[in-house]
Amino acid sequence: MALPARKQLKYWGIAAVLFAVVMWALGNVLMPFILGGAIAYIIDPLADRLERAGLSREGATAVITVGAVLIFLILLLLIVPALINQMIDLVQTLPQALSNLRAFAQERFPSLFEDNSQLREALAGLWQIIQDKSVTLLQTFVGSAMSLLNIVVLLVIVPVVAVYLLVDWDRMVARIDELLPRDHAPVVRHLASEIDRVLSSFIRGMGLVCVILGTYYAVALMLVGLNFGLAVGFVAGLVTFIPYLGAIIGGVLAIGLALFQFWGALEGADGEMIRQGTDWLRIALVAGIFAIGQMVEGNFLTPKLVGNSVGLHPVWLLLALSVFGALFGFVGMLVAVPVAAVIGVVARFAVEQYLHSRLYQGLSHRDANVRTSEDTPTDI
């Protein structure tokens, strides 16, 4: 005999509360295992294809591991050092760029920077807030997520967890299916397949979109001659999974750096500032690079690689990232997208059930159906 719905809701509610408490209490400990599980989930279709090609599961995992190690070594030797150097130079250059922007604004719009100007007071307050928040964020970042011990743990544990989970992924899924409540197994399988469709379309599709756009931005900006093209392309590609945000952040950063680099004074050999003309062409090319990237991403990459039926709205993603980041920190941001996909699928399923329920249709709709069935002649 199945449990009453009220008791089932009670038990599932307790399980959800326990899951939230564990996430909050053991977030930093669970982070390597969550990352390893995410990597195994993303790579599992490739392992399945290699199995269909004739390899065993262990052989497919070995091939993927060797390929991943080779790609990591190539990136570590060729790209990562240049990226780190550009990121460091970018952080060191930004204060000077902001100072030049302030000097330009004071030269062109002196009335805005008078002692009694409201704009000056507002900018001063905003700058103080940014400094305070930046210091706090940097201290938290360095003190927790980016400590040397945590980096070593991530580099060691995450690949090991990913390899073991990838080997046993199909067996784990089959075992979980065996443990499903028999009365609800078909519904749970249906919801799980929908969640898998949404997650696979979004994570794998948007991951490929991020790599393509990040590579395009980095190569195009370096060809134009922007000093920090690789770093800007990396930042823009990294946040492209939130639609429009990557183009906005990367575009503002790149155009600002282009203005700083191609507009203003040039320091001569003797230390004096030599005036030079503004290179409008390169500034326009930088802006055009992001305009083309946004157009290609919206009209071709996202529809082809992600699809239009994923169901994860950008506002819903931002809300999930903000809420889970505030509640569970960096680990919360890692699980925000999967949890948002789960909630979205369950919500759509609940709406579908509601539309077929007596609560929505009412008695009048039922009576109309009964009368229609009674009026319909039957064949003898």
Side-chain angles (χ1 to χ4, degrees):
M1 181 178 178
L3 288 175
R6 182 172 296 180
K7 284 191 174 182
Q8 294 187 36
L9 184 62
K10 173 184 175 182
Y11 292 146
W12 287 114
I14 292 174
V17 172
L18 289 177
F19 174 77
V21 171
V22 170
M23 285 290 299
W24 178 76
L26 302 177
N28 292 331
V29 177
L30 295 176
M31 182 169 64
F33 300 92
I34 294 174
L35 286 173
I39 293 172
Y41 172 77
I42 293 171
I43 302 177
D44 177 65
L46 178 59
D48 292 338
R49 290 186 180 182
L50 292 176
E51 279 189 285
R52 289 193 294 268
L55 293 177
S56 64
R57 188 70 180 188
E58 291 76 10
T61 303
V63 170
I64 294 173
T65 303
V66 172
V69 170
L70 291 177
I71 293 174
F72 176 77
L73 290 177
I74 293 173
L75 293 176
L76 187 63
L77 294 175
L78 300 180
I79 298 178
V80 173
L83 178 60
I84 293 176
N85 291 333
Q86 285 200 12
M87 293 294 288
I88 294 174
D89 293 340
L90 178 60
V91 172
Q92 294 175 346
T93 303
L94 281 179
Q96 182 62 37
L98 293 175
S99 177
N100 288 3
L101 178 62
R102 179 184 176 87
F104 172 79
Q106 284 180 331
E107 180 182 351
R108 297 299 179 91
F109 310 102
S111 60
L112 298 178
F113 292 88
E114 296 177 354
D115 293 337
N116 297 327
S117 174
Q118 294 182 354
L119 178 61
R120 179 174 182 175
E121 295 178 359
L123 290 176
L126 179 62
W127 179 249
Q128 186 62 39
I129 292 174
I130 292 175
Q131 286 181 322
D132 295 339
K133 294 296 183 180
S134 299
V135 172
T136 304
L137 180 62
L138 183 61
Q139 291 175 347
T140 304
F141 189 67
V142 174
S144 59
M146 293 303 293
S147 66
L148 181 60
L149 179 61
N150 285 341
I151 293 175
V152 173
V153 168
L154 286 177
L155 292 178
V156 173
I157 294 182
V158 170
V160 173
V161 172
V163 169
Y164 276 107
L165 290 180
L166 187 60
V167 171
D168 296 328
W169 190 267
D170 292 338
R171 288 192 287 267
M172 288 190 304
V173 172
R175 181 57 179 164
I176 292 173
D177 183 79
E178 293 175 357
L179 297 176
L180 293 177
R182 295 298 92 185
D183 290 342
H184 306 292
V187 176
V188 174
R189 291 191 189 107
H190 170 70
L191 292 177
S193 65
E194 283 294 306
I195 292 170
D196 178 65
R197 181 186 64 83
V198 171
L199 276 181
S200 61
S201 298
F202 184 82
I203 295 179
R204 299 186 184 107
M206 284 306 301
L208 190 55
V209 171
C210 291
V211 171
I212 293 174
L213 282 181
T215 304
Y216 159 72
Y217 288 140
V219 173
L221 292 175
M222 286 191 295
L223 290 176
V224 169
L226 191 67
N227 287 337
F228 307 102
L230 182 61
V232 174
F234 173 78
V235 172
L238 191 65
V239 293
T240 299
F241 74 96
I242 303 178
Y244 307 111
L245 190 60
I248 292 174
I249 293 178
V252 170
L253 183 60
I255 294 173
L257 291 172
L259 291 173
F260 173 72
Q261 180 178 345
F262 302 126
W263 182 351
L266 178 67
E267 185 175 356
D270 55 355
E272 295 182 357
M273 302 305 292
I274 304 173
R275 301 298 299 180
Q276 65 175 3
T278 301
D279 194 343
W280 290 107
L281 178 59
R282 293 196 182 188
I283 297 174
L285 286 175
V286 170
I289 286 171
F290 280 89
I292 294 173
Q294 185 62 28
M295 182 175 61
V296 172
E297 186 254 334
N299 296 314
F300 179 75
L301 291 178
T302 299
K304 294 293 183 182
L305 300 177
V306 181
N308 297 319
S309 58
V310 172
L312 289 178
H313 195 275
V315 176
W316 177 238
L317 280 179
L318 287 173
L319 177 63
L321 289 170
S322 301
V323 171
F324 281 87
L327 292 176
F328 307 113
F330 182 71
V331 177
M333 297 184 70
L334 291 178
V335 302
V337 173
V339 173
V342 171
I343 294 175
V345 170
V346 173
R348 287 192 291 273
F349 175 77
V351 170
E352 182 181 354
Q353 296 300 309
Y354 165 71
L355 293 177
H356 290 84
S357 68
R358 294 270 301 274
L359 178 63
Y360 172 76
Q361 296 181 359
L363 294 177
S364 59
H365 184 80
R366 176 177 175 271
D367 294 340
N369 289 337
V370 171
R371 287 195 300 271
T372 302
S373 63
E374 291 176 351
D375 297 338
T376 302
T378 58
D379 296 332
I380 299 176

